[in-house]
Amino acid sequence: MGLSSRVRIAGGMIFAVLLASAGCRSEPSLEATPMPPPPSKPKPEVSRVDPPAVPTRDVPTNEEWSEKSIYFLMIDRFYNGDPSNDDWGGFEARPDDPRGWHGGDIAGIIDKLDYIQGMGFDAIWISPIYEQRKQGSYHGYWPWDFYDIDGHFGTWDDMARLREELDRRGMLLMVDVVANHTGDFVYEPTGYFERAAPPFDNPEWFHNQGQIANYDDQHSIEVGDIGGGLDDIDQSNPEAAAELCRNIAWLREKTQCDGFRLDTVRHVPKDFWKKYVDAAGVFCMGEVLHGSPSYVGDYQKYMPSVLDFPLYFTMIKVFAQQGSPKQLSQAFATDHAYVNPKLLGLFVDNHDMPRFLSSAGGGQEANWPKLELALTLVFTARGFPVMYYGTEQAFSGGHDPDNREDMVFNPDHPLYHYVARLNELRRENSALRKGTFYERLADYATYAYERRDGNNAAIVMFNNWHTPQELNVRTGLPDGTVLTDGLHGGQATVQDSHIVLTLPARTAAIFVVNTAD
C-alpha cells in the first residue's frame, strides 16, 4: 500500500519494502486533486432497509469452498469488454499509464469465462467494485461510495449477468471488500473530494490520527491511516460498525456472491471481524499480511479462512530462490497455529507481491520449472489454491504497479496447460482436495508428502535441485500398490513401504491411486 511495512517471519524479523502492502495498492497523492466533472450517471437512492440475515440463494459451505480452485483477477487489468465505459466519471482510461485506469470491466470477465474455466477453475475472486473518485483508484481499494458500483467496471445489470454466466458454468463468485478505510478524502481541501459518499461522510466515524506510526504496534496499525492517508474507519464507533455490517449484507444480496475476500484484516480489531463475518452470511477469506503462523492463525478464530502468507514467504525462499526444502517441513510443522489448515488459501503471487517469476530471476522459459514446482505445491497441499491472473502466461512483473499487467490470453501457453492438468488431478482425486496431509521426505534438495482420503491417495514429490536426485519415499500404502504419475505418466510400485525413483532436475511428480469418491 505504498508504505514500508515490516513483515514478521517465523524464526526472525525481516524488513520488506512493499509498494502495495495491504491490499490497497499504489500510494495516493497527498496533494490537492483537481475536481472532475460529476459522474455520468445519476446517483440512485440506496434502500436503507436492512437486507435479510440469511442469503436468499443457497451458498456453499466452508468445507465446499475448501475443495474449490480460485482464479483471482483485477477487473481493470483483465479484459475490456465494453469500451463505452472507459472514461466514466471524468477519469479516462490510459493504458500507457501503469497507475491509471486501463479499461477492464465486468463485461470483459464474462467474455473470458471460458478461458478461465478451460484451466479447470471453479471459482473466481474479483477485485472490489465500489465507486471510486481517483485517477489512480482503478484497483477498487479506495472506496468513495460503498453502495454503488464504479461505472468503469460496468453496471449492476452487468453484475447480474456475470452471476448468471457463472451459474451456468457451475462456478462460484468471491468479491473483494474493504472495511478498514475509505479513499483519501477527509483531509483534502474543501470541494468535491471533501467527504466519502453518505453515510461514510461523517468525520466522527474515522480515527483521524494520521498515518500509522509504528508497524510493530498492534494498536497503531489498527487506528492509523495506511497507504499515505487512506481514511481509517473507527470500528469501535457503534454507528460506523453497524453500517459496515449492514453494507456487507447489502453487497451480498446485491451481487448474489458466494463469498468475500476481506482486505487489510490486521488493520481492524478482531472483535469487529466476528460481527462482520456473521453479517456477511457467506464464506470469508481474510488477508493478514504477516509472516508469523501464530499471528496469522489467530485471525482464523474470527473468520473461516485466511491466506497463507507464512507458506507463501517460505515458497519464495525455497522454489524461487532455490533454498532448502527443509524450510517447507518447518512451515508445515506450524499447522497447529491454525484453526483449520484445510481452509487456508495457498498462492505463489498476488497484486501486492512481486510476481513469482520476478523473484525467480525473470519470465524466461528457463525459470518456468521453478514456478511449476511452486504451483504443484499450491494445488496439492492442504488448503485450496488461489492463482493470480497472468501466472499461467509467465507474467514476471515486480512490485506494484509492475505486477498488475494487462492480461493476455494464450490458451496454448505451456503454463496454461500445466495449471489445467493440476486442476484436473485435484478434481479427479479427493485426496488432493481434502485428504489428510503426511510429510514423507525433507532434505536439502527434495521434498515429498502423502495425502490420504479413504482409499484415494496421492504422493507428491519435488526435486528442487539442479541435477537429478534419487528419492526414497516412505508411504503408508500396502506393498505392491502401483501408482501413476499424473504429470508425466510414469509408474512406481510400493516395496518395503517405500517408493524409490529418480526425478529430473527441478521436477515435481504426483503419484496417485484413484477409487470412486
Side-chain angles (χ1 to χ4, degrees):
M1 180 184 285
L3 49 90
S4 180
S5 174
R6 294 182 176 183
V7 181
R8 291 194 182 275
I9 302 296
M13 172 77 80
I14 66 169
F15 295 88
V17 179
L18 304 176
L19 296 182
S21 71
C24 296
R25 332 313 160 216
S26 51
E27 183 170 348
S29 170
L30 298 181
E31 299 177 357
T33 304
M35 290 185 293
S40 56
K41 64 176 183 178
K43 292 293 295 179
E45 290 294 326
V46 175
S47 172
R48 308 310 303 156
V49 177
D50 286 347
V54 178
T56 54
R57 62 179 275 132
D58 292 336
V59 294
T61 65
N62 296 341
E63 289 70 27
E64 288 171 333
W65 265 104
S66 73
E67 296 190 43
K68 299 303 178 183
S69 180
I70 304 174
Y71 187 85
F72 167 39
L73 60 92
M74 297 195 76
I75 301 173
D76 180 72
R77 296 301 198 253
F78 195 61
Y79 187 67
N80 190 347
D82 181 9
S84 70
N85 60 32
D86 287 3
D87 300 337
W88 183 87
F91 301 108
E92 64 181 21
R94 301 172 182 170
D96 58 343
D97 179 359
R99 296 190 183 277
W101 296 89
H102 286 194
D105 48 34
I106 295 165
I109 300 173
I110 296 171
D111 288 347
K112 296 299 182 181
L113 284 178
D114 287 347
Y115 169 89
I116 298 172
Q117 192 176 30
M119 282 180 284
F121 289 98
D122 47 21
I124 62 169
W125 152 21
I126 64 172
S127 51
I129 61 173
Y130 309 114
E131 184 174 346
Q132 307 290 302
R133 275 295 191 275
K134 293 282 190 177
Q135 182 60 43
S137 58
Y138 65 89
H139 41 66
Y141 292 94
W142 300 344
W144 181 75
D145 190 344
F146 281 82
Y147 284 97
D148 206 358
I149 190 171
D150 194 281
H152 290 93
F153 302 142
T155 66
W156 290 115
D157 287 341
D158 292 326
M159 279 299 303
R161 190 159 63 95
L162 174 62
R163 175 72 271 176
E164 292 173 1
E165 289 297 323
L166 289 169
D167 283 344
R168 189 167 67 85
R169 293 169 171 80
M171 299 174 70
L172 304 185
L173 173 63
M174 176 180 286
V175 177
D176 214 322
V177 290
V178 181
N180 175 65
H181 58 270
T182 68
D184 182 18
F185 304 118
V186 172
Y187 297 109
E188 296 215 13
T190 301
Y192 191 69
F193 285 150
E194 186 179 9
R195 296 286 184 265
F200 289 91
D201 55 349
N202 185 348
E204 294 182 1
W205 285 17
F206 297 84
H207 283 116
N208 301 314
Q209 295 190 23
Q211 296 188 51
I212 296 170
N214 181 3
Y215 273 82
D216 288 330
D217 178 71
Q218 188 65 30
H219 177 74
S220 182
I221 69 170
E222 290 180 2
V223 303
D225 294 350
I226 58 177
L230 299 175
D231 303 330
D232 198 75
I233 300 172
D234 182 2
Q235 292 82 14
S236 69
N237 181 302
E239 292 182 352
E243 190 60 45
L244 286 167
C245 290
R246 183 178 297 113
N247 176 255
I248 193 66
W250 178 88
L251 190 62
R252 175 200 71 213
E253 288 301 295
K254 193 69 174 176
T255 63
Q256 292 290 292
C257 66
D258 304 290
F260 290 111
R261 181 267 191 182
L262 312 180
D263 183 61
T264 49
V265 163
R266 67 185 292 240
H267 295 272
V268 175
K270 294 174 181 175
D271 58 352
F272 169 77
W273 284 124
K274 181 64 169 63
K275 303 171 188 175
Y276 191 74
V277 169
D278 286 346
V282 293
F283 179 79
C284 290
M285 177 179 70
E287 175 212 35
V288 187
L289 204 170
H290 203 281
S292 165
S294 60
Y295 184 96
V296 175
D298 195 59
Y299 284 89
Q300 208 181 14
K301 298 174 183 176
Y302 305 89
M303 58 193 63
S305 172
V306 290
L307 288 157
D308 195 344
F309 273 93
L311 183 60
Y312 158 78
F313 288 119
T314 300
M315 284 193 290
I316 293 299
K317 289 187 289 186
V318 172
F319 296 125
Q321 300 169 356
Q322 299 176 259
S324 169
K326 288 184 178 181
Q327 295 173 88
L328 294 172
S329 180
Q330 295 165 0
F332 287 120
T334 64
D335 274 1
H336 59 82
Y338 300 101
V339 174
N340 186 352
K342 292 182 181 179
L343 286 176
L344 297 176
L346 310 187
F347 62 101
V348 300
D349 47 22
N350 64 23
H351 54 332
D352 289 331
M353 301 298 174
R355 295 278 186 176
F356 178 93
L357 287 174
S358 173
S359 302
Q364 58 268 33
E365 187 173 354
N367 289 321
W368 296 357
K370 302 175 187 177
L371 175 57
E372 291 174 349
L373 288 171
L375 288 171
T376 301
L377 187 141
V378 162
F379 281 81
T380 63
R382 88 294 181 268
F384 54 88
V386 180
M387 197 183 81
Y388 187 37
Y389 83 97
T391 298
E392 77 277 13
Q393 298 295 334
F395 281 11
S396 58
H399 287 282
D400 172 15
D402 296 334
N403 57 353
R404 295 151 183 217
E405 306 96 321
D406 288 336
M407 185 59 179
V408 298
F409 300 91
N410 176 14
D412 294 324
H413 197 289
L415 289 174
Y416 182 98
H417 288 285
Y418 192 83
V419 171
R421 183 56 181 154
L422 291 173
N423 265 323
E424 184 178 23
L425 288 169
R426 193 171 186 272
R427 182 173 60 253
E428 291 175 346
N429 192 297
S430 64
L432 293 173
R433 301 192 308 272
K434 58 186 178 181
T436 304
F437 181 94
Y438 303 97
E439 183 176 275
R440 296 305 192 192
L441 175 67
D443 61 28
Y444 73 96
T446 63
Y447 190 69
Y449 49 81
E450 182 173 341
R451 298 196 67 187
R452 297 287 297 275
D453 178 48
N455 292 326
N456 290 340
I459 301 177
V460 187
M461 306 180 188
F462 304 83
N463 176 10
N464 196 45
W465 202 240
H466 56 84
T467 60
Q469 296 291 308
E470 183 179 86
L471 284 74
N472 190 331
V473 181
R474 180 173 56 88
T475 174
L477 294 171
D479 284 358
T481 302
V482 178
L483 300 94
T484 301
D485 179 7
L487 290 177
H488 309 291
Q491 289 191 330
T493 302
V494 179
Q495 296 181 349
D496 298 327
S497 300
H498 284 74
I499 294 175
V500 180
L501 55 84
T502 298
L503 277 184
R506 297 197 180 94
T507 299
I510 305 174
F511 285 93
V512 295
V513 175
N514 276 316
T515 62
D517 282 353

